[in-house]
Amino acid sequence: MDKKHSVLSSILKYVLVFVVTAFVCFGLLFLVTLIPRSSIRKNMLKSAEYLYDQNIAYDYIIKGKDSSKQDRYADSILLGIIWQLDSNHPLKSMMETAYFSDDHGMENEALYAAVTQSLEPNKEYLRYWHGSAIIVKPLLLFLDIKGIYIFNAVILLLLLSIAVVLMYKKKAYVPIFGLIFSLIIVSAWFVPLSLEFTWCFLVMLLFLVLLLTVYDKWSSERITVLFLVFGMITSYFDFLTTELITLFVPLLILIWLDKTPKYKVVFSRIILWGMGYSFMWGLKWVLAAIVLQKNVIPGITSQISTRVGGAYMGDIQPSLPEYIRISLKSNISCLFPLEFGWAGLIVGFIILAVLLYIVFVYRGTGFDKGLLSLYIFICILPYLRYVVMHNHSFLHHFFTYRAQMISILGFVLVMDEIALPGLSDRLLNNSKDGVKDGKK
């Protein structure tokens, strides 16, 4: 009876947390919808002119390098949605999340036309929350899109700095290296140059800072509840870019801090994050159907089937194994420095060879095989994502590739468990031998 009561109490607690979080997210979006369109017109026009003048859907910071590709197409759509949030019809517009679209996919031109000609929306994008509007629309009161890019860069750098300081205080030197190394390999310096890319990194770093802050103060159970909340927040902000990093980057560092994690706790956190993410996503569809008085499911399911399957080159449909191979290759080849020709491949091979040398030559004897299995399992998950969502992962490999920072961080932690203790002992012994020889 006590066990049943405990389970029921836990379920009710999670339901309450879900309801409160959803209410806050809904309320914030409703409030920013009430901001009059006239108050953001000046900076929206400057933003639309900037995107229009570029006259390109995808902008390369480094010519021909997909790792540097910026999604002006998605940024134009997001600004278009924000522009069409109607303070006179807040519920309808925030659930519909519609925008004025161009028939030829030139959404930057469509945004400029919508702002300058006051055109009505003609396309819905209701399958996502587009919660990033709660940040972007208030910022448009003061900044244009170029200013928002800079603002986002400053916030991301600030959160990263706070996370590093908190880890340093906990003597988590290896996770610090792993986090920074993984950010370098996925060319994170390009992230704040596109609104679409920013949100998952923002949520990830915010979650990490929060976990590091409460780690020594909260019970394990209270910390676990945060995974439900941040699964919901990820679904609220993101529209299928690098969603996995908001879960597994903080989780890997938390596992390292625990040293001997309870696997039941780890997997319950993964499950709760997944439930928060999926239920929050589903809640948008339910609320949209109620508010708009229409069946939204057919349009959503067709998009899901396209993201999993679908053709990538006109009407050509490759075989499934070939499609998966293309998806994996496209994402892996974006990693720094692999994309920079033969020189990049050689440098990448040397880095990998050095890391593997350290692992095999200095491997210890007392490592935790269960912990290693957990690290390796998490390392594999981004590639499983590419396999399952092979169409989406190929078409959008220029940003989905950054989910591999999970694998890179995980590999560093694998090295820490297998080899770094042995390497440290070897260096320490050599140092002691040097001191003895000096005395002699």
Side-chain angles (χ1 to χ4, degrees):
M1 188 68 179
D2 289 340
K3 187 175 181 180
K4 288 183 179 180
H5 183 269
S6 177
V7 171
L8 181 61
S9 176
S10 295
I11 292 174
L12 290 174
K13 175 182 66 180
Y14 293 131
V15 169
L16 179 61
V17 169
F18 182 91
V19 170
V20 170
T21 305
F23 180 80
V24 170
C25 290
F26 184 92
L28 289 173
L29 194 54
F30 181 83
L31 288 175
V32 300
T33 303
L34 296 178
I35 297 174
R37 189 179 297 173
S38 59
S39 63
I40 64 169
R41 183 181 296 275
K42 178 182 176 182
N43 283 314
M44 183 64 84
L45 179 58
K46 289 173 68 177
S47 301
E49 288 173 344
Y50 168 74
L51 293 170
Y52 180 82
D53 289 342
Q54 288 194 316
N55 195 31
I56 191 169
Y58 300 100
D59 179 27
Y60 291 88
I61 305 301
I62 302 176
K63 187 177 180 180
K65 304 305 178 186
D66 282 352
S67 61
S68 72
K69 194 174 180 180
Q70 301 302 307
D71 200 341
R72 306 304 179 204
Y73 175 86
D75 285 0
S76 297
I77 290 176
L78 177 59
L79 291 185
I81 289 171
I82 291 171
W83 178 246
Q84 299 294 349
L85 291 176
D86 188 354
S87 58
N88 295 318
H89 304 92
L91 276 178
K92 179 180 181 295
S93 63
M94 67 179 275
M95 287 292 102
E96 195 173 46
T97 47
Y99 62 101
F100 179 73
S101 177
D102 177 79
D103 293 336
H104 305 290
M106 297 302 292
E107 302 302 350
N108 55 334
E109 295 181 7
L111 173 66
Y112 182 78
V115 175
T116 56
Q117 301 173 38
S118 299
L119 300 176
E120 292 298 315
N122 59 8
K123 190 171 184 178
E124 296 175 347
Y125 208 162
L126 58 75
R127 64 183 180 274
Y128 301 116
W129 277 96
H130 302 287
S132 56
I134 69 169
I135 295 176
V136 178
K137 191 171 184 181
L139 286 178
L140 284 168
L141 295 169
F142 312 100
L143 303 169
D144 64 6
I145 192 169
K146 291 188 290 183
I148 294 173
Y149 290 153
I150 296 170
F151 177 85
N152 286 341
V154 171
I155 295 300
L156 288 171
L157 185 59
L158 178 62
L159 287 172
L160 176 61
S161 301
I162 294 171
V164 168
V165 169
L166 291 172
M167 284 191 283
Y168 182 82
K169 289 181 177 180
K170 298 181 186 303
K171 299 182 179 180
Y173 308 126
V174 172
I176 290 174
F177 170 78
L179 179 62
I180 294 175
F181 182 63
S182 64
L183 288 170
I184 291 171
I185 298 300
V186 301
S187 303
W189 43 82
F190 295 126
V191 166
L193 301 180
S194 179
L195 298 177
E196 181 189 25
F197 304 162
T198 303
W199 312 122
C200 278
F201 280 80
L202 180 67
V203 173
M204 172 194 73
L205 291 171
L206 182 63
F207 190 20
L208 179 57
V209 167
L210 181 57
L211 285 175
L212 292 168
T213 302
V214 303
Y215 179 74
D216 297 319
K217 302 172 185 176
W218 286 17
S219 67
S220 176
E221 186 177 4
R222 288 184 69 188
I223 289 175
T224 298
V225 174
L226 288 176
F227 283 83
L228 173 67
V229 173
F230 274 85
M232 296 176 67
I233 292 173
T234 301
S235 181
Y236 181 69
F237 275 94
D238 183 48
F239 44 111
L240 220 57
T241 58
T242 50
E243 68 289 334
L244 293 182
I245 67 172
T246 72
L247 166 60
F248 289 110
V249 170
L251 183 62
L252 279 168
I253 293 173
L254 202 60
I255 290 170
W256 187 92
L257 290 172
D258 289 340
K259 296 300 182 185
T260 54
K262 296 178 180 178
Y263 301 103
K264 183 179 178 181
V265 173
V266 171
F267 284 101
S268 68
R269 289 171 176 173
I270 295 173
I271 291 169
L272 277 172
W273 183 95
M275 292 175 68
Y277 182 87
S278 55
F279 289 170
M280 186 66 175
W281 204 353
L283 180 63
K284 171 63 192 295
W285 307 344
V286 172
L287 292 176
I290 294 171
V291 171
L292 302 176
Q293 294 293 295
K294 63 184 290 186
N295 182 9
V296 302
I297 300 301
I300 293 168
T301 54
S302 67
Q303 286 294 327
I304 292 174
S305 62
T306 300
R307 293 301 177 240
V308 175
Y312 77 97
M313 190 183 297
D315 296 326
I316 298 174
Q317 179 65 58
S319 66
L320 181 59
E322 177 65 9
Y323 214 156
I324 290 172
R325 184 192 69 80
I326 293 170
S327 173
L328 290 170
K329 179 178 180 294
S330 300
N331 281 273
I332 293 170
S333 64
C334 281
L335 294 175
F336 179 82
L338 301 183
E339 198 176 19
F340 291 87
W342 282 105
L345 288 172
I346 292 170
V347 172
F349 176 79
I350 291 172
I351 292 172
L352 181 61
V354 169
L355 294 177
L356 290 175
Y357 175 83
I358 293 172
V359 168
F360 286 104
V361 173
Y362 296 103
R363 65 184 181 275
T365 56
F367 49 81
D368 187 329
K369 293 181 179 179
L371 183 59
L372 284 177
S373 299
L374 189 56
Y375 284 151
I376 293 169
F377 166 73
I378 293 175
C379 285
I380 293 171
L381 292 178
Y383 302 103
L384 182 60
R385 194 259 198 208
Y386 300 148
V387 169
V388 173
M389 301 186 66
H390 46 273
N391 176 263
H392 180 271
S393 300
F394 168 73
L395 292 176
H396 303 292
H397 63 275
F398 58 94
F399 58 74
T400 61
Y401 83 91
R402 293 192 176 96
Q404 292 172 95
M405 74 172 294
I406 297 165
S407 306
I408 298 159
L409 172 60
F411 181 72
V412 170
L413 300 184
V414 166
M415 283 187 59
D416 177 52
E417 182 64 24
I418 293 178
L420 293 190
L423 178 60
S424 298
D425 291 343
R426 181 72 63 87
L427 293 174
L428 183 61
N429 290 334
N430 289 341
S431 177
K432 288 179 179 179
D433 291 341
V435 170
K436 290 179 181 178
D437 292 340
K439 287 182 179 180
K440 287 180 181 178

